[in-house]
Amino acid sequence: MRLLVQVSEARNLPAIDGGGGLSDPYAKLQLGRHRGKTRVAKRTLSPTWDEEFAFRVVDLKDELVVVVVDEDRYFSDDFLGQVRVPLSAVLDADNRSLGTQWYQLLPKSKKSKIKDYGEIRLTISLSLNYPEETTTLAHCVSDDLASYSDKSTELQKGSSLPNIPIEIPTSVSGGDETEIIKEDRSNGVPSFVNRLYQFFSAKPKDAEASASAPPLTTGDGNSDILEETPSTSSELPDNQDYETGVTMSFDEQLKAFGSCHEGNEIPENLSGGVLIDQVYAVAPSDLNGLLFSPSSDFLQSLAEMQGTTGLEIQQWRLENDGEVLKRVVSYTKAPTALVKAVKATEDVSYLKADGDIYATLADVSTPDVPFGNSFRVEVLTCIMPGPELPDNEKSSRLVVSWRLNFIQSTMMKGMIENGAKQGLKDNYIQFSELLSRNIRPVDSKDAAATDKVLSSVQPEQESDWKLAFRIFGNFTVVSSLVAFIYVFSHIILASPSIIQGLEFPGLDLPDSVGEVVVCGVLVLQGQRVLNMIARFIQAKRQREIFEFDAMEDPPSVMKINVYDFDGPFDEVESLGHAEVNFLKSNLSELSDIWIPLKGKLAQACQSKLHLRIILNNSRGTEVMKDYLDKMEKEVGKKIAVRSPHTNSAFQKIFSLPPEEFLINDFTCHLKRKMLTQGRLFLSPRIIGFYTNLFGHKTKFFFLWEDIEDIQVMPATLYSMGSPSLLIILHKGRGMDARHGAKQLDNEGRLKFHFQSFVSFNVAHKTIMALWKARSLTPEQKVQLVEEESETKDLQNNESDSFLGIEDAKMSEVFSSTKPFDVSTLMSIFEGGPLEHQVMEKIGCMEYSVSPWESVRADAYQRQIHYKFDKRLARHEGEVMSTQQKSPLPDKNGWLVEEVMTLEGIPVGEYFNLHMRYQLEQISSKPKACNVQVSIGIAWLKSCKNRKKIAQEVLYSASSRLKKMFGLLEKELLPAK
C-alpha cells in the first residue's frame, strides 16, 4: 500500500527579510523514515510545483509532514510553514482519499511572530496496487535500503544511463538518519561552499562524519541536504535518546511526555465500537499504573486467566525528545476450537498523559491468523476522572474502543470484522472480570444520583423574609392582626368606663358574657401567634439534626416513634410510629421522603413525617474488612472476603445497595408444595434465596432481625437423607417474602423450609453464627464466643467466585428411533419397577423418586435422588435432580426437562447439568417414536478448565443415555 501525494502549489507565503520580498521556496515531504522534496521555485511567494510523490506505508500510525522552506545557498534554509496529515485521516476518508484541498501552513511553535504562513494545495490518497513502473514520474520512496545502496554504488562508478534525476538514500550524521537527495548520473566534485555549509551547519558529532565522507552532489556541484522533521514512526531513536528514555522511571516518562502534549484533546472513541465503559472507585493515576506500569502484574494475571503463553513486555521508551512514549508487548494466544495458537504483537503508544486523563493506542498485529497480513486491530484505552463518590473517594472512568485497519483489500472483510469483534468481546469480558477483582466497580447512575443527593442536603440559605412568610403567611395571623387593629381603635375612640361592681382603679372587668367570650378568643389568638413567633425564632437559630455512627454495625431498619410531650408530670402519648428499611429504599428516596405514620391516631388523621436521611460512608473501602474482622471475633470463626465482581452479581440479583456484600452461598432446595432447587445467599443483613429453573425465576430475602427461631429437622427419605432447616420469622415480619414461605401459621408467622444442602453442617453453622451475631445482645455474644472455642474456617468448597445462574447452552448428544409408541417409552419416567430396574443396571444405586405433582396447567414435577455405583463410575458421589414434564405443543409426545446437582465428585459444585428429553410419536408409524436428548451445562462458579470438564461430562452423559435406552429397549421388546 502506498500513499500518493501531489504537491500542486502554494500561495501567500511569508516574505523573508533580505530576499527583496521574494523567496526561493521548495517543499519537503516525510512519511516515517522516507523523505522527498520538490524542485526549487525561484523568486516567488506563490510557487507552482505540480509534482507527485509515492510513499510506501509501513506504519498506519505515521503522519505525512510537509514543510515549505526558502532555499539559501550560503546559509541554512529559512522555515516558511508546515502541515501534518495523519494516515488515519486518509484511511477513514471515503475511497481512502482526501481529494485536492488547500491546507493552512502552521508555525513550528506558538511563539512565532508571523501570523499568516499561507496555504499549500495537496492531493492525498491511498493506493493498494500502485504500479512500480511509475517510480520515475512519481518520486517513489522505497524502504529497501540494501537496493538503494547498490544503486548508489553503481552511480558512483558512473554509468551510461540517461542523465535523469533520481532519489538515492545516503547515510549522514553518523549513520542514524536516512535522507533522500536528487543527483545526476554524472560524477561531480563537491564545491568549497558546500563543504563549508556541511561543516558549520552539522551537529558537532556529525561534523567529523561529514568531513570524513564526501557527500553526494548534483551535476552542477550543488549539494541538497534535507532538514530533519519530527516523525512519529516506530523507528528506534538515536542511542543517547533511547538510553535516556529507558533509564527514566515510569512516572518521570509520563511527566516528560505530558509536558510535550499539554492541551491535547481526549481522542474520540474508535469506529469499531466500545468494549468497556465502566466507572471504578480509584484515582485515574492509580488505574493507569495498574494497567500500564512496568511494576504491575496485571498483564501476567490476565495472561494466566486467558491461557496466554510467551508473554514478553518491553520497557517503555521515551523518544523524539518526549514526543513519543511507547512499548512493545508480544505473546501467544491460546488455541480455540477454530483457530490454533497465534502469536500477537502490540505496539502500545501514549496519546495523552496529564495526570488526570490518560489515553493509549495499541496497534495489534496477528500475521499468523487467516488473512492476518491484510489487517491490523487498533484498541484505544482512555482513562478519565469519574463522578465524585459520597465519601470524597476518587473515581475513574475507563473507556476501551476498537477498530480494524485493512492494509490490503480482501473479499473476507465481513468475516474478519465479525471474528475480530467476537474475539475482542470475549477477551475484554475476562479483562473486566479481572479488573473488578482488583478495583471496585461503581455504577455511574448511582454515582450521579449520589452527587445529586449530597448536593441537595447542603444547608439551605433561606432568607428571613421567606422564612417569615412560610410561618406567618396564614389565616390565623391575618385574623389576629385585624382583631388587634379593631380593638386598639376601639380603645382610642371609647371614653373611660364607670367603676362599678368589683372593679377598682386599674382593674376593668368584663361587664357581660359577650365580653368574656371576646376576651377568650383574643387570648387564644394571641397564644397561637406567640407560638408561631417561637417557631420562627427556633427555625432561624437551629435545625433538628440527629447523627448516628452506623459503621460498626450496618443498620437494616430505623424505627421512629412520635410522641406528644406536655410536660414532665403528664403521661407521654404516642402520635404514631414508622419504620425505614435501608435495604429496600434507594439513596435518592431517603434524601427527601414523607413517611406515613402508623397507629390508630396517626392513621385516623393521615399523619406523615418529613425526613431527610443521609447515608455517608466515612471509612471508604475498609468497611467490609472491618466488619468481617469484628464478626470473626464475635463468632470465633474466620470469614473470607469475596471479590468485587461476586458482590456486584449478588447485589444485582436482589437489588441491594452497593454497601451490602456477600459472605457465603449454598446450593439447596426450597420446600413449598414442590421442591425448588436454587441457592441460599448470606450477607451481614439479609438471607436470600434465588433460582432460575426452567425459565421461572424465584427470589426473595428477609432480614436477620426478622428471624424468631431456626430449627433443625431430622433427615427423611423425602429430604434425600439430609437434615433440613426450618426458619420461623416474627409475627408480621418478612411479608414481602411470603411467596417463598412453606406456610403461615395461626400466630401470623412465616415459616421457610430449606433442605438438601451439599454440606449441611457448614451451612447450618454459618447461618446460626450470622443470626446470633446479628440478633443477640452483647452479653449473649460474649457467652457464645466462650462456648464455641473452635475456630474453623467458614469458607468451604462452595465459596469460590459466584457468577450467578446462567442459562445452559444445549447441544444434542443422543438421537434415535425406537420401535414402540411414546406412552410405552414414558414408562422410564413413571417411577415404576421398570425405571428402578434400568437405572440400577446403569449404576444408579439407592434410586428413589417422588411422585409427579402438578405445578401448573399441563406441567408436572418430581424429585430424584441416587448414588453412583463405585464399580461402574470413576467417582463416588450423589445426584439430586428435579424433573419437569409437559406435553409437546401438538400433543403428539412429551418434553421432559431435568436439572441435576452433583455432590461428592470433583468440581461437581461448579455447575448444574441440564438435560432435555423430547419424545415424539412418528405419524407415519404408529408403533414408533423419535427420541432426542440435549445436554447443557450451567456454570455456577468460575473455573479454568471449563472446556475439558464439559467434554468429560458430555461424553459420560452421552454414554449413559445410550446404555439406558438400550437396556430399556431390551426390557420392552421381549415383553411386547
Side-chain angles (χ1 to χ4, degrees), residues 128-253:
L128 299 179
N129 47 4
Y130 189 84
E132 297 290 342
E133 294 79 21
T134 61
T135 53
T136 56
L137 297 178
H139 301 275
C140 179
V141 185
S142 173
D143 60 342
D144 190 351
L145 300 181
S147 61
Y148 279 122
S149 300
D150 296 339
K151 292 179 182 179
S152 62
T153 304
E154 294 176 1
L155 291 175
Q156 289 179 354
K157 292 180 180 179
S159 67
S160 58
L161 294 177
N163 187 14
I164 301 176
I166 63 172
E167 298 174 4
I168 305 173
T170 180
S171 179
V172 297
S173 301
D176 291 332
E177 302 168 358
T178 302
E179 301 187 6
I180 297 177
I181 60 176
K182 294 183 180 179
E183 179 179 349
D184 281 350
R185 296 285 183 177
S186 59
N187 295 328
V189 179
S191 65
F192 176 73
V193 173
N194 290 330
R195 286 190 176 276
L196 286 178
Y197 169 77
Q198 292 181 5
F199 183 81
F200 287 106
S201 64
K203 296 180 180 179
K205 71 172 185 177
D206 299 338
E208 183 178 353
S210 301
S212 61
L216 296 176
T217 61
T218 58
D220 59 357
N222 295 328
S223 174
D224 295 333
I225 298 182
L226 184 63
E227 174 184 315
E228 181 186 2
T229 57
S231 172
T232 60
S233 67
S234 58
E235 317 303 331
L236 286 175
D238 60 298
N239 294 335
Q240 183 178 358
D241 292 341
Y242 174 76
E243 293 175 357
T244 303
V246 172
T247 55
M248 296 173 63
S249 67
F250 181 60
D251 293 337
E252 293 174 345
Q253 290 176 333

Side-chain angles (χ1 to χ4, degrees), residues 508-712:
D508 189 6
L509 297 176
D511 298 333
S512 65
V513 177
E515 291 184 1
V516 173
V517 173
V518 171
C519 291
V521 171
L522 293 178
V523 170
L524 293 176
Q525 287 288 86
Q527 183 182 10
R528 298 184 66 178
V529 172
L530 290 177
N531 290 336
M532 291 181 183
I533 295 174
R535 284 180 53 196
F536 171 76
I537 297 175
Q538 184 179 13
K540 185 177 179 182
R541 293 177 56 186
Q542 64 179 1
R543 175 185 300 175
E544 290 292 335
I545 298 177
F546 300 92
E547 184 175 354
F548 305 93
D549 185 5
M551 303 308 299
E552 295 292 337
D553 194 7
S556 303
V557 295
M558 181 175 65
K559 297 181 179 179
I560 305 170
N561 290 283
V562 182
Y563 297 99
D564 180 18
F565 180 73
D566 293 330
F569 303 104
D570 295 332
E571 183 179 356
V572 176
E573 181 182 1
S574 176
L575 299 179
H577 60 89
E579 184 177 277
V580 178
N581 192 319
F582 293 109
L583 294 170
K584 297 181 180 179
S585 302
N586 57 48
L587 185 59
S588 59
E589 292 176 351
L590 294 177
S591 63
D592 193 351
I593 186 173
W594 285 90
I595 302 177
L597 293 178
K598 298 179 182 179
K600 295 181 179 179
L601 181 60
Q603 291 178 351
C605 300
Q606 297 183 351
S607 303
K608 292 183 180 181
L609 185 65
H610 189 194
L611 298 175
R612 306 190 72 185
I613 303 173
I614 313 303
L615 299 177
N616 186 18
N617 182 359
S618 60
R619 298 188 185 178
T621 57
E622 295 296 322
V623 175
M624 183 188 303
K625 184 178 181 302
D626 293 344
Y627 180 79
L628 292 179
D629 291 342
K630 175 177 174 289
M631 185 160 294
E632 287 174 0
K633 296 177 181 178
E634 291 179 347
V635 302
K637 297 183 181 296
K638 177 147 182 80
I639 301 175
V641 180
R642 295 298 185 92
S643 67
H645 180 72
T646 302
N647 288 322
S648 177
F650 165 65
Q651 295 160 7
K652 184 177 180 181
I653 289 176
F654 296 103
S655 301
L656 297 173
E659 64 268 12
E660 193 69 9
F661 54 91
L662 180 64
I663 293 180
N664 216 334
D665 60 282
F666 302 94
T667 300
C668 67
H669 284 80
L670 173 67
K671 184 177 180 181
R672 296 178 290 183
K673 291 183 179 180
M674 287 292 299
L675 289 180
T676 304
Q677 181 179 329
R679 296 184 76 84
L680 192 65
F681 297 88
L682 311 178
S683 74
R685 295 184 286 183
I686 74 161
I687 175 172
F689 180 83
Y690 175 81
T691 182
N692 184 3
L693 195 63
F694 307 119
H696 298 279
K697 295 182 179 180
T698 301
K699 64 178 179 179
F700 60 85
F701 71 88
F702 46 84
L703 306 177
W704 291 109
E705 293 89 339
D706 295 340
I707 300 176
E708 179 181 316
D709 189 19
I710 299 178
Q711 300 176 3
V712 178

Side-chain angles (χ1 to χ4, degrees), residues 752-764:
F752 297 84
H753 200 156
F754 301 98
Q755 67 179 46
S756 305
F757 289 94
V758 176
S759 301
F760 176 80
N761 291 333
V762 177
H764 177 241

